[in-house]
Amino acid sequence: MSNINLIIEERPRNIGNFMVGRLLPFQTKRMVGPFIFIDHMGPAKLSAGENLDIPPHPHIGLSTLTYLFEGNIMHKDSLGTAIEIKPGQVNWMTAGKGIVHSERTPDNLRNSEKTLHGLQIWVALPKQLEDMAPSFFHANEDELPTWENDGVSYTLVAGEIAGKKSPVPVYSPLYFLQLKSENRQTIKLGNDLYGEVGLYILEGSIESDGTTFQPKELLVANDSKLCEFTMNAHTTVYFFGGEPFPEERFIYWNFVATSQQRIELAKAKWQAQQFEPVPGETDFVPLPPENLHLKART
């Protein structure tokens, strides 16, 4: 019997002046553990003068994780953070009761050709931490736990698994794990995984129960303890998941909350321009239409 409960293919979405592949939320699977939103950016070739420009926008009730494979993004937020995100680094911003940030092509790259490729992820906060103070954490590539086993390279981007722990300050039991294989290998992770688990294929392919799965597919397991599959040569996959929350989550725009009331308060606060601004940024993005409101059930 197959251990694959659901196969989710990337769906194109426009996030302003940039197209992404949306993985979560999905119509029949809104969350995997605490992971509530995943976008695959690119790979996109941007010409000179063609740039990523996501103006200041607010978040509540979540942490954002930006992980780049290629390219650079300048992150600025209302805490005064201004840092360039480079491939292999982890950008972890916790919104809590509210934060505002912008994401743009760095000034030194705006008039040259460049490539942008990576993952942008939202992790919902536990109910008791929804109103925590916002914070920001940045980890360099060499700070992340890495190891090899039977020719497979592992990098723990966030969370805790297999006796390893990332320095990224997560707020519930979770993992975000990269696997890279240069040769065909059988992978058995069932003893290390916990909670709900998703597997995203970035490049290459995997085989499970006689079926081959290709890039841009997200597989959701029935039982994390039964995770066994074959990675073909030159394959990169990401495991993500963890313990699900007992409460449902609501999503409206960039807001995540355990109640609609929290969403409404955040909307009113943003419209009244009462969020702390991003230093040096003056753009204001109005609230989107109500039909972007989603109920995200675990």
Side-chain angles (χ1 to χ4, degrees), residues 106-158:
D107 288 344
N108 65 313
L109 298 176
R110 296 184 73 84
N111 294 312
S112 60
E113 294 183 353
K114 56 264 177 190
T115 300
L116 188 60
H117 190 200
L119 293 172
Q120 288 205 306
I121 296 168
W122 296 358
V123 180
L125 288 170
K127 183 176 181 179
Q128 68 272 20
L129 295 177
E130 283 185 294
D131 286 329
M132 69 181 290
S135 62
F136 177 85
F137 181 86
H138 184 84
N140 290 318
E141 186 174 10
D142 59 7
E143 298 176 77
L144 304 178
T146 59
W147 67 97
E148 289 198 10
N149 187 16
D150 293 331
V152 179
S153 299
Y154 296 79
T155 299
L156 183 57
V157 178

Side-chain angles (χ1 to χ4, degrees), residues 10 55 84 103 132 135 154 175 200 213 217 246 249 271 274 278:
E10 285 187 22
E84 184 174 336
E103 299 158 288
M132 69 181 290
S135 62
Y154 296 79
Y175 43 86
Y200 174 64
F213 299 95
E217 290 185 331
R249 291 298 187 277
Q271 281 293 80
Q274 293 174 344
V278 177

Side-chain angles (χ1 to χ4, degrees), residues 252-253 267 286-294:
Y252 167 83
W253 193 30
K267 287 165 60 177
L287 292 173
E290 289 294 326
N291 60 12
L292 288 186
H293 170 247
L294 301 169

Side-chain angles (χ1 to χ4, degrees), residues 76-81 93-94 98-100 134-136 276-279:
K76 294 182 180 180
D77 64 40
S78 51
L79 298 174
T81 309
M93 183 185 74
T94 298
I99 199 168
V100 181
S135 62
F136 177 85
E276 288 293 323
V278 177

